[in-house]
Amino acid sequence: MTFEAPTPGNTALAAGDALPLLELRGITKRFPGVVANDHVDFDVRAGEVHTLFGENGAGKSTLMRVLYGLYKPDEGEIRLRGEPVAINSPAAAIARGIGMIHQHFMLVNTLTVAENVAIGVRSTRRPLTDLDAVSRRIAELSERYGLRVDSQAMIWQLSVGERQRVEIIKALYRDVSLLILDEPTAVLTPQEVDDLFAVLRQMVADGRGLVFISHKIREVLELSDRITVLRNGRKVGTVLPSEVTRHGLAEMMVGHELPSQEPPAGNGQGDARLVVRNLTVKGDRGIDAVRGLGLEVCGGEIVGIAGVSGNGQRELAEAIAGLRPATGGSIDIEGAELVGLKPAEVRRAGLGFVPEERMRDGVVAAFSVAENLLLIDNAAPEFARWGFLRAGAIRRHCEELVAEFDVKTPSLDTPARNLSGGNIQKLILARELSARPRVLLAAQPTRGVDVGAGHYIHERLMEQRDAGTAILIVSEDLDEVLSLSDRVLVMFEGEVIAEVRPRESTREALGLMMAGVRSAA
């Protein structure tokens, strides 16, 4: 596949009079009770990055699923290079040179990386699959983009971040002319983001068009040629990065002014609540993912763990929560040993847990909002008597939590799968904090949620810290770690290699430490 090079200069302006690579005209998509897209216009030019920005539920994903053939629009048309087209399936989109990296991965867990990449690609050895050639190409792409992926690894063995890298390689393997990227930097260090942006800019210079979807305003302003904001299914406007500030873009997205968020106050004067000593935990491949790790979290402080995905953070969180056995060391909450306990026993010892993968581990998707809020405490005396649930008490309790934590849901009977990512995360947070934990473990607390929901979750975490809870946050979002933490621990290859105070370090220094440079501080 070949591409025309764009006119030199600012791509968004230089291509201003050229025929757009893609046009979406008046796209409308309705679902029962909601208009997800309301006559939305959007276009992408060859040789530019056009960012689609908005809250969860604003209609971004729906619009891109219309483009990718997953949804059929009720009104409007799609044009590629000026010609009206009908895209009725992802296969049709791929055939026309459109690729999409989904926020929720489209991978087969029981296949290898190479087998996943080869799905749907015509083999040179038909009817056989030439996995050796696929693996060689994966190695080339991995080297070029700095995305470390083992082509022979099974998908189920990979961390969330590694799976996202596989999705990126899948799209690049097909050499698309138009690429939709949904949160592609969520698991990268600042240096890796810079490297990825260099690659994306090269793709743009080659004449490709990119649709960039991100909740990270700093990255949006850095990478984009144009930014289109959606709110409640409608297009608010399109701006150039030079025309808007970070605060202004956030307010444009949510439709009102956001209150300022105070930096960490340097708390943590209480006694150690969570103490981990010489902890060793094996990963899914049977090798040590956590190696001799130690940490302490005091009451009234937030400790953030920063690191690139795949360096033991997931295994550490699962071991603390009782979801993965420790092979050595100790974990205790206020002197109570947790190693060897079941998750329910760990919770009774005083741990609240917000898991990394909310749809897999945080909620039962088919259960209602109320049922998910009562997953843990349904046998408590205030909610059950003589083996029967007390429906009135349960409903009042759930109504209070939904109101207190601003969970936007049509009703308490709505299945959790119908909520946006931000509202599912608030539901989980409401359930965990309602148990008044002594220690709260939050893994990727705002991954995939919009700015408004993320701001709310951060405020609740800081309120909980100020109330005396010991909070451990595991996050691959360095901005989040820096904005919330009183102390930051950097994990690399299963070990804590550095401890810093956010006010005494920089993003760049922390990014180097996340890459294993121990002297960066």
Side-chain angles (χ1 to χ4, degrees), residues 93 109 151 155 175 260 333 338 451 500:
N109 287 334
S151 63
I155 294 299
D175 201 16
S260 60
I333 291 180
L338 304 186
V451 173
V500 299

Side-chain angles (χ1 to χ4, degrees), residues 61-121:
S61 295
T62 299
L63 188 66
M64 291 300 99
R65 288 178 179 180
V66 166
L67 171 59
Y68 201 58
L70 292 167
Y71 292 154
K72 181 180 179 181
D74 298 310
E75 298 178 35
E77 68 173 355
I78 302 172
R79 288 177 173 256
L80 288 175
R81 299 179 180 86
E83 297 295 325
V85 296
I87 301 177
N88 299 316
S89 68
I94 293 169
R96 294 182 179 276
I98 300 172
M100 183 172 182
I101 299 169
H102 299 266
Q103 182 178 343
H104 299 293
F105 310 131
M106 303 293 183
L107 300 171
V108 181
N109 287 334
T110 55
L111 299 182
T112 67
V113 170
E115 289 167 338
N116 270 273
V117 172
I119 291 174
V121 178

Side-chain angles (χ1 to χ4, degrees), residues 29 122 128 156 177 194 207 210 215 219 255 262 266-267 310 317 339 361 379 394 408 440 444-445 469-470:
K29 181 61 184 175
R122 181 171 296 180
L128 302 177
W156 66 266
S177 58
D194 291 341
L210 304 183
H215 294 106
E219 292 179 0
E262 296 297 324
N267 294 341
V339 171
D361 301 325
I394 288 174
K408 296 177 181 177
L440 178 67
Q444 318 301 337
T469 304

Side-chain angles (χ1 to χ4, degrees), residues 11 49 193-207 210 219 222-224:
T11 54
V49 178
V193 170
D194 291 341
D195 292 342
L196 176 61
F197 281 9
V199 172
L200 297 181
R201 292 188 182 103
Q202 183 59 54
M203 292 172 67
V204 165
D206 291 341
L210 304 183
E219 292 179 0
E222 178 183 346
L223 182 65
S224 307

